[in-house]
Short mmCIF file of all heavy atoms in Angstrom, two decimals:
data_model
loop_
_atom_site.label_atom_id
_atom_site.label_comp_id
_atom_site.label_asym_id
_atom_site.label_seq_id
_atom_site.Cartn_x
_atom_site.Cartn_y
_atom_site.Cartn_z
N ALA A 806 -66.05 50.97 4.74
CA ALA A 806 -66.20 52.33 4.23
C ALA A 806 -65.29 52.57 3.04
O ALA A 806 -64.37 51.79 2.75
CB ALA A 806 -65.88 53.33 5.33
N VAL A 807 -65.56 53.66 2.34
CA VAL A 807 -64.67 54.14 1.29
C VAL A 807 -63.80 55.23 1.91
O VAL A 807 -64.30 56.17 2.52
CB VAL A 807 -65.46 54.71 0.09
CG1 VAL A 807 -64.50 55.32 -0.92
CG2 VAL A 807 -66.29 53.61 -0.55
N LEU A 808 -62.49 55.09 1.79
CA LEU A 808 -61.55 56.02 2.39
C LEU A 808 -60.95 56.90 1.30
O LEU A 808 -60.36 56.40 0.34
CB LEU A 808 -60.44 55.25 3.12
CG LEU A 808 -59.30 56.07 3.74
CD1 LEU A 808 -59.84 57.01 4.80
CD2 LEU A 808 -58.25 55.14 4.33
N VAL A 809 -61.12 58.20 1.44
CA VAL A 809 -60.55 59.16 0.50
C VAL A 809 -59.34 59.79 1.17
O VAL A 809 -59.45 60.40 2.24
CB VAL A 809 -61.57 60.24 0.11
CG1 VAL A 809 -60.93 61.23 -0.87
CG2 VAL A 809 -62.81 59.61 -0.51
N LEU A 810 -58.17 59.64 0.55
CA LEU A 810 -56.93 60.16 1.11
C LEU A 810 -56.46 61.36 0.29
O LEU A 810 -56.33 61.27 -0.94
CB LEU A 810 -55.85 59.09 1.11
CG LEU A 810 -56.07 57.91 2.07
CD1 LEU A 810 -54.97 56.87 1.89
CD2 LEU A 810 -56.10 58.39 3.51
N VAL A 811 -56.22 62.46 0.97
CA VAL A 811 -55.70 63.65 0.30
C VAL A 811 -54.60 64.24 1.16
O VAL A 811 -54.44 63.91 2.32
CB VAL A 811 -56.81 64.70 0.07
CG1 VAL A 811 -57.87 64.18 -0.87
CG2 VAL A 811 -57.44 65.13 1.40
N GLY A 812 -53.83 65.14 0.58
CA GLY A 812 -52.73 65.76 1.30
C GLY A 812 -51.44 65.00 1.11
O GLY A 812 -51.43 63.79 0.87
N GLY A 813 -50.34 65.70 1.22
CA GLY A 813 -49.04 65.08 1.02
C GLY A 813 -48.77 63.94 1.98
O GLY A 813 -48.11 62.95 1.63
N GLY A 814 -49.28 64.05 3.20
CA GLY A 814 -49.02 63.02 4.20
C GLY A 814 -49.70 61.70 3.93
O GLY A 814 -49.39 60.69 4.58
N SER A 815 -50.63 61.66 2.98
CA SER A 815 -51.37 60.42 2.71
C SER A 815 -50.49 59.34 2.10
O SER A 815 -50.91 58.19 1.98
CB SER A 815 -52.55 60.70 1.79
OG SER A 815 -52.11 61.16 0.53
N ILE A 816 -49.26 59.68 1.73
CA ILE A 816 -48.36 58.67 1.16
C ILE A 816 -47.97 57.61 2.18
O ILE A 816 -47.47 56.54 1.82
CB ILE A 816 -47.07 59.32 0.61
CG1 ILE A 816 -46.30 60.00 1.74
CG2 ILE A 816 -47.39 60.29 -0.51
CD1 ILE A 816 -44.91 60.46 1.35
N VAL A 817 -48.21 57.86 3.47
CA VAL A 817 -47.80 56.90 4.49
C VAL A 817 -48.71 55.68 4.51
O VAL A 817 -48.38 54.68 5.15
CB VAL A 817 -47.75 57.54 5.89
CG1 VAL A 817 -46.80 58.72 5.90
CG2 VAL A 817 -49.13 57.96 6.36
N GLN A 818 -49.85 55.75 3.84
CA GLN A 818 -50.73 54.57 3.76
C GLN A 818 -50.13 53.62 2.74
O GLN A 818 -50.06 53.91 1.55
CB GLN A 818 -52.15 54.99 3.36
CG GLN A 818 -53.14 53.84 3.30
CD GLN A 818 -53.18 53.16 1.94
OE1 GLN A 818 -53.09 53.82 0.91
NE2 GLN A 818 -53.28 51.84 1.95
N MET A 819 -49.69 52.44 3.23
CA MET A 819 -48.99 51.48 2.36
C MET A 819 -49.69 50.14 2.27
O MET A 819 -49.37 49.34 1.39
CB MET A 819 -47.56 51.27 2.91
CG MET A 819 -46.67 52.50 2.83
SD MET A 819 -45.13 52.27 3.75
CE MET A 819 -45.66 52.75 5.40
N ASP A 820 -50.60 49.86 3.17
CA ASP A 820 -51.22 48.54 3.24
C ASP A 820 -52.74 48.66 3.25
O ASP A 820 -53.30 49.75 3.43
CB ASP A 820 -50.77 47.81 4.51
CG ASP A 820 -49.26 47.64 4.56
OD1 ASP A 820 -48.74 46.81 3.81
OD2 ASP A 820 -48.62 48.37 5.35
N GLU A 821 -53.39 47.52 3.07
CA GLU A 821 -54.84 47.51 3.19
C GLU A 821 -55.23 47.93 4.60
O GLU A 821 -54.53 47.64 5.57
CB GLU A 821 -55.39 46.10 2.91
CG GLU A 821 -55.25 45.66 1.46
CD GLU A 821 -55.89 44.30 1.23
OE1 GLU A 821 -56.42 43.72 2.22
OE2 GLU A 821 -55.87 43.81 0.09
N VAL A 822 -56.35 48.63 4.69
CA VAL A 822 -56.83 49.11 5.99
C VAL A 822 -58.10 48.34 6.35
O VAL A 822 -59.07 48.35 5.59
CB VAL A 822 -57.12 50.63 5.93
CG1 VAL A 822 -57.66 51.12 7.28
CG2 VAL A 822 -55.85 51.39 5.56
N LYS A 823 -58.07 47.69 7.49
CA LYS A 823 -59.22 46.92 7.94
C LYS A 823 -60.43 47.83 8.09
O LYS A 823 -60.34 48.92 8.66
CB LYS A 823 -58.90 46.25 9.27
CG LYS A 823 -59.98 45.33 9.80
CD LYS A 823 -59.56 44.71 11.12
CE LYS A 823 -60.64 43.81 11.69
NZ LYS A 823 -60.23 43.23 12.99
N GLY A 824 -61.57 47.37 7.58
CA GLY A 824 -62.79 48.17 7.66
C GLY A 824 -62.98 49.11 6.50
O GLY A 824 -63.93 49.89 6.47
N VAL A 825 -62.07 49.05 5.52
CA VAL A 825 -62.14 49.92 4.34
C VAL A 825 -62.30 49.06 3.10
O VAL A 825 -61.49 48.17 2.83
CB VAL A 825 -60.88 50.80 4.23
CG1 VAL A 825 -60.87 51.56 2.91
CG2 VAL A 825 -60.81 51.77 5.40
N ALA A 826 -63.35 49.33 2.33
CA ALA A 826 -63.60 48.56 1.11
C ALA A 826 -62.79 49.09 -0.06
O ALA A 826 -62.38 48.33 -0.95
CB ALA A 826 -65.09 48.59 0.77
N LYS A 827 -62.55 50.39 -0.08
CA LYS A 827 -61.87 51.00 -1.22
C LYS A 827 -61.15 52.26 -0.77
O LYS A 827 -61.66 53.01 0.07
CB LYS A 827 -62.89 51.34 -2.31
CG LYS A 827 -62.30 51.88 -3.60
CD LYS A 827 -63.40 52.14 -4.62
CE LYS A 827 -62.83 52.64 -5.94
NZ LYS A 827 -63.91 52.90 -6.94
N ILE A 828 -59.95 52.47 -1.31
CA ILE A 828 -59.18 53.67 -1.00
C ILE A 828 -59.04 54.50 -2.27
O ILE A 828 -58.64 53.98 -3.32
CB ILE A 828 -57.79 53.32 -0.44
CG1 ILE A 828 -57.93 52.57 0.90
CG2 ILE A 828 -56.95 54.58 -0.25
CD1 ILE A 828 -56.62 52.09 1.47
N ILE A 829 -59.39 55.76 -2.18
CA ILE A 829 -59.36 56.65 -3.35
C ILE A 829 -58.41 57.81 -3.08
O ILE A 829 -58.49 58.46 -2.03
CB ILE A 829 -60.77 57.21 -3.66
CG1 ILE A 829 -61.73 56.07 -4.00
CG2 ILE A 829 -60.71 58.23 -4.80
CD1 ILE A 829 -63.17 56.53 -4.17
N ARG A 830 -57.51 58.05 -4.03
CA ARG A 830 -56.70 59.27 -4.04
C ARG A 830 -57.10 60.04 -5.30
O ARG A 830 -56.70 59.68 -6.40
CB ARG A 830 -55.21 58.95 -4.05
CG ARG A 830 -54.66 58.45 -2.72
CD ARG A 830 -53.14 58.34 -2.78
NE ARG A 830 -52.57 57.91 -1.52
CZ ARG A 830 -52.42 56.65 -1.14
NH1 ARG A 830 -52.83 55.67 -1.94
NH2 ARG A 830 -51.88 56.35 0.02
N PRO A 831 -57.87 61.09 -5.15
CA PRO A 831 -58.35 61.81 -6.34
C PRO A 831 -57.21 62.56 -7.03
O PRO A 831 -56.12 62.73 -6.45
CB PRO A 831 -59.38 62.78 -5.76
CG PRO A 831 -58.96 62.97 -4.35
CD PRO A 831 -58.36 61.67 -3.90
N PRO A 832 -57.43 63.01 -8.26
CA PRO A 832 -56.41 63.81 -8.95
C PRO A 832 -56.00 65.02 -8.11
O PRO A 832 -56.83 65.64 -7.46
CB PRO A 832 -57.12 64.24 -10.24
CG PRO A 832 -58.17 63.20 -10.46
CD PRO A 832 -58.63 62.79 -9.10
N HIS A 833 -54.71 65.30 -8.11
CA HIS A 833 -54.14 66.44 -7.38
C HIS A 833 -54.38 66.32 -5.87
O HIS A 833 -54.51 67.32 -5.17
CB HIS A 833 -54.72 67.77 -7.90
CG HIS A 833 -54.67 67.91 -9.39
ND1 HIS A 833 -53.48 67.96 -10.09
CD2 HIS A 833 -55.67 67.98 -10.31
CE1 HIS A 833 -53.74 68.06 -11.38
NE2 HIS A 833 -55.06 68.08 -11.55
N PHE A 834 -54.43 65.07 -5.39
CA PHE A 834 -54.68 64.86 -3.96
C PHE A 834 -53.65 65.56 -3.08
O PHE A 834 -53.94 65.97 -1.96
CB PHE A 834 -54.71 63.36 -3.64
CG PHE A 834 -53.36 62.70 -3.69
CD1 PHE A 834 -52.58 62.59 -2.56
CD2 PHE A 834 -52.87 62.19 -4.89
CE1 PHE A 834 -51.33 61.98 -2.60
CE2 PHE A 834 -51.62 61.58 -4.94
CZ PHE A 834 -50.85 61.47 -3.79
N ASP A 835 -52.42 65.69 -3.61
CA ASP A 835 -51.36 66.26 -2.80
C ASP A 835 -51.47 67.78 -2.66
O ASP A 835 -50.69 68.40 -1.93
CB ASP A 835 -49.99 65.89 -3.37
CG ASP A 835 -49.88 66.18 -4.86
OD1 ASP A 835 -50.92 66.45 -5.49
OD2 ASP A 835 -48.75 66.13 -5.38
N CYS A 836 -52.43 68.38 -3.35
CA CYS A 836 -52.63 69.83 -3.25
C CYS A 836 -53.75 70.20 -2.29
O CYS A 836 -54.11 71.37 -2.15
CB CYS A 836 -52.96 70.42 -4.63
SG CYS A 836 -51.66 70.18 -5.86
N ALA A 837 -54.33 69.19 -1.62
CA ALA A 837 -55.51 69.44 -0.79
C ALA A 837 -55.23 70.43 0.33
O ALA A 837 -56.09 71.26 0.66
CB ALA A 837 -56.01 68.12 -0.21
N ASN A 838 -54.06 70.36 0.92
CA ASN A 838 -53.75 71.28 2.02
C ASN A 838 -53.80 72.73 1.55
O ASN A 838 -54.34 73.61 2.23
CB ASN A 838 -52.36 70.98 2.59
CG ASN A 838 -52.29 69.60 3.22
OD1 ASN A 838 -53.29 68.91 3.32
ND2 ASN A 838 -51.10 69.20 3.62
N ALA A 839 -53.23 72.97 0.37
CA ALA A 839 -53.22 74.33 -0.16
C ALA A 839 -54.63 74.80 -0.50
O ALA A 839 -55.01 75.95 -0.24
CB ALA A 839 -52.33 74.40 -1.40
N VAL A 840 -55.42 73.90 -1.07
CA VAL A 840 -56.81 74.25 -1.41
C VAL A 840 -57.59 74.55 -0.13
O VAL A 840 -58.36 75.52 -0.06
CB VAL A 840 -57.49 73.11 -2.20
CG1 VAL A 840 -58.97 73.40 -2.40
CG2 VAL A 840 -56.80 72.92 -3.54
N GLY A 841 -57.40 73.71 0.88
CA GLY A 841 -58.10 73.93 2.14
C GLY A 841 -57.76 75.26 2.76
O GLY A 841 -58.63 75.98 3.27
N ALA A 842 -56.47 75.62 2.72
CA ALA A 842 -56.06 76.91 3.28
C ALA A 842 -56.69 78.06 2.51
O ALA A 842 -57.03 79.10 3.08
CB ALA A 842 -54.53 77.01 3.25
N ALA A 843 -56.86 77.87 1.19
CA ALA A 843 -57.40 78.95 0.36
C ALA A 843 -58.89 79.18 0.59
O ALA A 843 -59.37 80.30 0.49
CB ALA A 843 -57.14 78.63 -1.11
N ILE A 844 -59.64 78.12 0.90
CA ILE A 844 -61.09 78.26 1.04
C ILE A 844 -61.53 78.36 2.50
O ILE A 844 -62.71 78.56 2.78
CB ILE A 844 -61.84 77.09 0.38
CG1 ILE A 844 -61.56 75.77 1.10
CG2 ILE A 844 -61.50 77.00 -1.10
CD1 ILE A 844 -62.37 74.60 0.58
N ALA A 845 -60.59 78.22 3.43
CA ALA A 845 -60.95 78.27 4.84
C ALA A 845 -61.48 79.65 5.22
O ALA A 845 -61.09 80.67 4.64
CB ALA A 845 -59.73 77.93 5.70
N LYS A 846 -62.37 79.66 6.19
CA LYS A 846 -62.89 80.93 6.67
C LYS A 846 -61.85 81.63 7.54
O LYS A 846 -60.99 80.99 8.15
CB LYS A 846 -64.18 80.72 7.46
CG LYS A 846 -65.35 80.30 6.59
CD LYS A 846 -66.63 80.21 7.40
CE LYS A 846 -67.81 79.86 6.50
NZ LYS A 846 -69.08 79.79 7.26
N VAL A 847 -61.94 82.93 7.58
CA VAL A 847 -61.04 83.75 8.38
C VAL A 847 -61.79 84.15 9.65
O VAL A 847 -62.95 84.57 9.58
CB VAL A 847 -60.60 84.99 7.61
CG1 VAL A 847 -59.65 85.84 8.46
CG2 VAL A 847 -59.93 84.59 6.30
N SER A 848 -61.14 84.00 10.78
CA SER A 848 -61.84 84.27 12.04
C SER A 848 -61.15 85.36 12.84
O SER A 848 -59.98 85.69 12.63
CB SER A 848 -61.92 83.00 12.89
OG SER A 848 -60.63 82.61 13.32
N GLY A 849 -61.91 85.89 13.76
CA GLY A 849 -61.40 86.84 14.74
C GLY A 849 -61.99 86.52 16.08
O GLY A 849 -63.18 86.16 16.17
N GLN A 850 -61.21 86.60 17.13
CA GLN A 850 -61.70 86.22 18.46
C GLN A 850 -61.38 87.31 19.47
O GLN A 850 -60.30 87.89 19.46
CB GLN A 850 -61.07 84.90 18.90
CG GLN A 850 -61.50 84.45 20.30
CD GLN A 850 -61.01 83.07 20.66
OE1 GLN A 850 -61.43 82.09 20.05
NE2 GLN A 850 -60.13 82.97 21.63
#
Side-chain angles (χ1 to χ4, degrees):
V807 175
L808 176 61
V809 180
L810 292 175
V811 296
S815 64
I816 63 170
V817 302
Q818 182 272 321
M819 294 169 274
D820 301 287
E821 291 184 359
V822 178
K823 184 179 179 181
V825 172
K827 185 178 182 180
I828 297 175
I829 298 174
R830 286 188 178 86
H833 310 296
F834 72 92
D835 51 347
C836 299
N838 296 354
V840 173
I844 66 174
K846 290 185 177 181
V847 180
S848 67
Q850 178 173 294

